Amino acid sequence: MTAEGSKINIYQGCVCVVWSLTVCVCVPQDVRVYNEEVELEVRDPQQDYMLYKDTCAALAKLMEEIQELKAGGAKVQSVEIEERRTQCSVHFITLKKLNRLAHMRLKKGRDQTHEAKQRVDVLHLQLQNLLYEVMHLQKEIGKCLEFRSQHEEIELVSEEEFFQEAPAEISRPHVTRDDQHQLTLARLDWELEQRKRLAEQYKMSLARKEKIQKAIEQKREYLSSLQPGLQNIMQASLPVQEYLAIPFEHMQKQAEVARHLPPPLYVLLVQAGAYGQACDKNLSVSISGDVDEAKALSRPPEDSQGTSVSTEHSQTLIFFSSVQLDDKRKEMLRRHPLSLCVDLKCKDGSVLHLFFYYLMNLNILTVKTKVSTTTDLSGAVSAGELLNSESLLNCLYASDHGKETPNPANRYQFDKVGITTFGDYVSDLGHPFVWVQKLGGLQFSSGGAQVALSASHMERTMKLLRGRLQARLALHKQFSSLEHSIIPVSSECQHLFPAKVVSGLVRWTTMSCQEFTELGFVQHVLKAGLVHETDLFFMATVERGTARLRAAVVMNPRYPEVAPLFSLSLHWKGERSGRTDDNLQAMESEVNVFRSELQGPRPGLQLLTNQIQRLCVCLDVYLETESQVCDGSEGPKEFPREKMCLRTARGPSRLKPFKYNHPQGFFSHR
């Protein structure tokens, strides 16, 4: 073997160290080839570590011995020192071998680590591809589920009627009863046949209509030729009509009854009749009650506070005090036998009935209400208080609750008969609203002409009454949809919102004033004095994924003139409210402060549903612009970005862009 430097040959189990520069060695036939990589597989690293420690200790010991020999005067070329040098060289060779083995183990470990990391990277890439495919499939599934065919908008006849009326060649019961797809196709074919038949009938009806119209035109021409003669006859018969009182019979009867009305009701009758005749043909006034009893009132009612009790009957009055107090209360709260009924009709056929009564001893007017509609309004549970006769007319004018009498003199009258508050009797007697007194010409603060006072408030009050009825009926329909998790947005208001809104209303319920005050996230509204007992309270719940937004709604009786007030609480990664989250406070501002953008067409009856829809849009923006992966983990986001925003956050408070810009379709900050 030829080697450069020092080489180690294993020959018949002996280790030979060669120090010559070029040495030729004759190797026998049974030589074994040495391979450190093969040896590395069978060697124990722990044993190599112990060998390393033992070799280092032996080297240290040999060095000490050489040092002692030199200190004892031994020569450098002495046999003892040379032997120890040879042993040290062998140990150094062992250390170099251990060093090579350690580097080989390190390289092998690095290679294995690199291979494992490559396998992990390949698996991670496959996982990402699978997640992307899953996301793509979910979107495609969502598109398929949202697909609406045109035939779904056609109102088909029921299956029972279809099988009864359709011929066998179209219905094919042996096929369609077991195959829903074939059944739908057959029903569509039957619908097409029916429409063709109806189209033919329509053409025939049009032809018949034209024929009838021609006949009508001929008769109309004939009647027009008679008009001049009839006008002359009518003009000549005017004295006879006036003599017989034929056209004024009803008015005369009502005028006869009106003579027995008390002055406030008479003023109301005259002014309401004049207003209906001049401005509102859908307003009618009638008198009801006992006319004979009204005629029997030949003198004014006795003043309850002008009578006194004589001294000799004082003991008897004390004995019967409780009975007499009840009688005195009934007498003081006595109503006039006659009353007025004012009917306000709306375009949809609904009617608001107003019953006006006059309390003779208290000198005030009261009103009761009743609503008649052409449709059934029993579907919406949360709309139970909207058309309640006890609260329908609350706050028609600001701060006019109708619980207490507006006549200051009544307070002294109540003290004499033990009446604490008039509010205990409004359910039986009616509400003494201030506007009711003004319609009857009653004004207790200052003097003035009764007729002028009534006329000045008649037109505005009638418009407010009709607007209140229309607003409550509109709310009733909206509540019916909200209870089914449907937010009705009219076509005139579609431009206020993006085309796709993911967040949706899942619950709409009513609640009492006490339940509202117990909510933790509405305390700031209570402290600000924005809540009153006459308000209506509701709870709306909007959800998207794991996020749930609760909105406590305060609705003033004067809606939509006074907009509903929203207070928000978000349950997502904890609980937040407008007091703890600046973005939730900004969402409250979007529906409370910028409500003028949501009014819609006048008179703004879509305000509530538009506010709820904007709340859903703001929740989408809030969740989509929020950081979804906060811990550094990888995976699909819960709320993927679907809204286009110029900036996702702005300012120290990191406010989100909640303002929707139409028609560009992006969101920006205010």
Side-chain angles (χ1 to χ4, degrees):
M1 178 178 179
T2 303
E4 294 292 332
S6 62
K7 295 292 182 178
I8 302 175
N9 294 335
I10 300 175
Y11 178 68
Q12 294 180 354
C14 299
V15 179
C16 300
V17 180
V18 183
W19 294 98
S20 61
L21 293 177
T22 303
V23 180
C24 294
V25 180
C26 295
V27 182
Q29 293 297 326
D30 57 347
V31 66
R32 290 178 297 172
V33 179
Y34 171 69
N35 191 344
E36 285 187 343
E37 293 182 356
V38 177
E39 183 182 2
L40 182 65
E41 297 293 334
V42 299
R43 292 180 69 96
D44 185 8
Q46 189 65 27
Q47 293 180 357
D48 288 346
Y49 175 68
M50 297 304 298
L51 177 61
Y52 165 75
K53 292 179 65 177
D54 295 341
T55 304
C56 291
L59 275 173
K61 184 177 180 181
L62 289 173
M63 292 298 178
E64 289 178 358
E65 292 177 355
I66 292 173
Q67 182 65 24
E68 290 176 356
L69 290 173
K70 287 183 178 181
K75 294 182 180 181
V76 178
Q77 291 81 10
S78 61
V79 177
E80 293 83 357
I81 293 178
E82 287 297 328
E83 289 179 355
R84 285 167 175 77
R85 284 180 177 175
T86 302
Q87 294 177 3
C88 287
S89 298
V90 173
H91 287 314
F92 275 120
I93 291 173
T94 302
L95 289 177
K96 290 181 67 176
K97 180 178 180 179
L98 293 175
N99 184 45
R100 288 196 307 275
L101 292 176
H103 281 286
M104 292 173 66
R105 286 195 182 97
L106 178 61
K107 182 178 181 300
K108 183 178 180 182
R110 287 178 177 174
D111 293 341
Q112 292 176 350
T113 303
H114 181 68
E115 292 176 359
K117 184 178 179 181
Q118 284 183 336
R119 290 195 299 272
V120 171
D121 290 340
V122 172
L123 294 175
H124 186 268
L125 182 59
Q126 293 176 353
L127 175 62
Q128 292 297 323
N129 292 335
L130 291 175
L131 291 176
Y132 178 78
E133 291 180 5
V134 168
M135 188 184 307
H136 176 71
L137 292 175
Q138 288 177 345
K139 289 183 178 179
E140 293 299 323
I141 292 172
K143 291 180 181 178
C144 294
L145 294 176
E146 293 176 358
F147 175 76
R148 292 292 180 269
S149 178
Q150 291 184 352
H151 82 276
E152 296 180 2
E153 301 177 358
I154 302 175
E155 295 183 3
L156 302 176
V157 297
S158 62
E159 296 183 9
E160 294 78 6
E161 185 178 353
F162 167 72
F163 285 113
Q164 290 177 0
E165 298 181 357
E169 59 271 12
I170 294 180
S171 62
R172 296 177 297 163
H174 61 284
V175 177
T176 56
R177 289 189 182 276
D178 299 329
D179 192 339
Q180 190 67 27
H181 177 66
Q182 293 296 330
L183 175 60
T184 303
L185 294 178
R187 292 174 68 187
L188 289 173
D189 292 338
W190 175 238
E191 182 70 20
L192 179 61
E193 292 295 330
Q194 285 184 317
R195 294 197 177 192
K196 289 181 179 179
R197 177 174 54 82
L198 292 175
E200 292 295 331
Q201 294 180 0
Y202 176 70
K203 291 180 180 179
M204 296 174 61
S205 299
L206 283 180
R208 193 162 53 249
K209 176 184 174 183
E210 292 178 358
K211 185 182 297 184
I212 294 173
Q213 281 181 343
K214 289 181 180 179
I216 291 174
E217 288 296 331
Q218 294 176 356
K219 293 180 180 180
R220 185 173 295 169
E221 291 177 359
Y222 174 74
L223 292 175
S224 298
S225 63
L226 295 177
Q227 185 175 0
L230 292 176
Q231 286 181 349
N232 295 331
I233 296 173
M234 290 290 293
Q235 189 69 25
S237 65
L238 281 178
V240 179
Q241 293 182 19
E242 293 178 358
Y243 178 79
L244 297 177
I246 294 176
F248 308 107
E249 181 180 0
H250 177 71
M251 295 179 62
Q252 283 186 345
K253 288 183 179 180
Q254 184 163 306
E256 285 293 328
V257 178
R259 291 172 52 191
H260 305 287
L261 286 173
L265 289 181
Y266 184 81
V267 172
L268 179 57
L269 171 68
V270 173
Q271 293 300 319
Y275 176 77
Q277 194 174 22
C279 304
D280 193 345
K281 300 300 181 182
N282 293 324
L283 184 146
S284 60
V285 188
S286 60
I287 303 174
S288 60
D290 192 343
V291 181
D292 296 332
E293 185 179 353
K295 292 179 179 180
L297 295 175
S298 58
R299 65 177 184 273
E302 184 180 0
D303 190 5
S304 62
Q305 57 186 344
T307 59
S308 61
V309 182
S310 60
T311 307
E312 60 269 21
H313 297 96
S314 60
Q315 297 297 327
T316 306
L317 290 175
I318 294 175
F319 181 79
F320 297 102
S321 59
S322 60
V323 179
Q324 287 185 345
L325 281 177
D326 290 337
D327 294 337
K328 285 185 177 182
R329 292 192 190 101
K330 292 180 181 179
E331 179 62 25
M332 180 172 293
L333 300 176
R334 183 184 176 190
R335 297 191 301 205
H336 194 275
L338 298 179
S339 61
L340 289 184
C341 178
V342 178
D343 294 337
L344 285 173
K345 297 181 181 179
C346 298
K347 295 181 180 179
D348 59 354
S350 58
V351 183
L352 175 62
H353 307 280
L354 300 171
F355 304 97
F356 294 92
Y357 306 96
Y358 177 67
L359 305 186
M360 298 180 292
N361 291 322
L362 299 181
N363 190 30
I364 58 174
L365 288 174
T366 61
V367 64
K368 284 188 173 183
T369 60
K370 180 182 176 182
V371 177
S372 300
T373 59
T374 57
T375 58
D376 184 18
L377 300 180
S378 60
V381 178
S382 59
E385 291 296 323
L386 291 179
L387 300 178
N388 187 355
S389 59
E390 296 296 326
S391 60
L392 178 60
L393 301 182
N394 279 349
C395 299
L396 188 66
Y397 288 86
S399 303
D400 190 2
H401 304 292
K403 297 294 184 182
E404 295 296 335
T405 171
N407 189 353
N410 297 155
R411 182 69 268 163
Y412 302 98
Q413 295 174 283
F414 291 165
D415 292 339
K416 288 184 176 293
V417 295
I419 296 178
T420 305
T421 174
F422 187 79
D424 298 334
Y425 303 91
V426 293
S427 58
D428 297 327
L429 301 176
H431 294 265
F433 295 107
V434 175
W435 58 268
V436 176
Q437 318 308 317
K438 292 182 178 179
L439 290 182
L442 296 175
Q443 188 171 12
F444 305 105
S445 58
S446 60
Q450 289 183 330
V451 176
L453 178 64
S454 176
S456 63
H457 288 79
M458 180 61 66
E459 182 174 1
R460 173 169 170 77
T461 301
M462 292 303 157
K463 290 182 178 179
L464 288 176
L465 288 171
R466 182 173 278 106
R468 174 64 60 88
L469 178 60
Q470 292 175 348
R472 292 299 174 89
L473 291 175
L475 283 176
H476 202 288
K477 295 180 181 178
Q478 294 170 10
F479 284 5
S480 180
S481 298
L482 294 177
E483 288 182 359
H484 291 82
S485 302
I486 300 174
I487 305 177
V489 179
S490 63
S491 58
E492 296 88 352
C493 301
Q494 291 288 348
H495 68 280
L496 299 175
F497 315 103
K500 183 177 181 181
V501 181
V502 183
S503 299
L505 179 71
V506 296
R507 190 179 182 190
W508 173 265
T509 56
T510 182
M511 58 181 173
S512 63
C513 181
Q514 182 179 358
E515 293 174 341
F516 180 86
T517 56
E518 292 175 354
L519 297 175
F521 58 93
V522 301
Q523 299 304 315
H524 63 288
V525 178
L526 298 174
K527 293 179 181 179
L530 301 177
V531 178
H532 307 89
E533 293 182 357
T534 56
D535 294 336
L536 302 176
F537 305 92
F538 304 93
M539 178 66 73
T541 305
V542 179
E543 288 186 0
R544 179 180 178 184
T546 59
R548 180 164 57 94
L549 180 67
R550 300 174 63 204
V553 185
V554 181
M555 182 172 294
N556 191 283
R558 297 171 63 196
Y559 172 89
E561 182 180 353
V562 179
L565 184 64
F566 285 70
S567 300
L568 305 180
S569 174
L570 178 62
H571 293 262
W572 182 61
K573 297 182 179 180
E575 185 175 359
R576 321 175 191 185
S577 67
R579 304 304 96 192
T580 59
D581 191 329
D582 292 333
N583 283 294
L584 280 182
Q585 187 176 8
M587 291 171 61
E588 292 178 349
S589 300
E590 286 294 323
V591 294
N592 294 331
V593 178
F594 304 102
R595 58 181 180 272
S596 59
E597 303 174 1
L598 305 173
Q599 287 286 348
R602 294 184 64 86
L605 300 180
Q606 295 288 330
L607 175 59
L608 175 64
T609 53
N610 289 344
Q611 286 179 305
I612 299 176
Q613 185 73 352
R614 173 166 285 188
L615 202 60
C616 295
V617 174
C618 291
L619 181 60
D620 282 347
V621 175
Y622 183 100
L623 296 176
E624 292 176 12
T625 55
E626 191 76 7
S627 177
Q628 299 295 316
V629 184
C630 301
D631 55 356
S633 61
E634 298 184 2
K637 294 183 178 180
E638 181 182 3
F639 306 110
R641 180 76 61 82
E642 296 181 356
K643 305 293 185 296
M644 184 171 61
C645 305
L646 296 182
R647 295 175 61 183
T648 58
R650 186 181 69 179
S653 302
R654 311 306 295 163
L655 294 179
K656 303 178 183 298
F658 294 116
K659 180 183 178 183
Y660 177 68
N661 296 271
H662 177 79
Q664 293 82 5
F666 62 87
F667 289 81
S668 62
H669 293 84
R670 292 193 179 272

